[in-house]
């Protein structure tokens, strides 16, 4: 694989990781606190993300297999704060 092609793929992977990382930040995991009658409840979630990609070469030919990624957030519970 040529150096320019490898650097281009590295840059793509870095950008993808950064964008997915932003979507799985602490402000996404912990929701806005809700306060009622002296009790504060903070919703919490589990955030996951991943990505992958590929490329290959044979007998003087190069190719990129592509790449992809995704993120998911699932409810996890809550934090309850009382006086």
């Amino acid at each position: 694989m040529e150096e320019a092609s490898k650097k281009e793929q590295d840059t793509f992977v870095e950008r993808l990781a950064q964008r997915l990382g932003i979507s799985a930040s602490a402000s996404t995991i912990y929701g806005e606190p809700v306060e009622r009658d002296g009790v504060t409840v903070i919703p919490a979630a589990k955030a996951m993300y991943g990505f992958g990609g590929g490329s290959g070469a044979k007998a003087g030919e190069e190719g990129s297999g592509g790449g992809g990624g995704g993120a998911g957030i699932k409810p996890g519970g809550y934090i309850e704060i009382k006086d």
Side-chain angles (χ1 to χ4, degrees), residues 12-36:
F12 169 75
V13 170
E14 290 168 359
R15 286 193 322 258
L16 182 60
Q18 181 182 22
R19 288 185 181 182
L20 290 174
I22 288 170
S23 69
S25 68
S27 63
T28 304
I29 295 169
Y30 296 102
E32 292 294 318
V34 177
E35 187 176 345
R36 298 283 189 278

Side-chain angles (χ1 to χ4, degrees), residues 60-73:
E61 297 179 13
E62 284 190 36
S64 293
I73 300 174

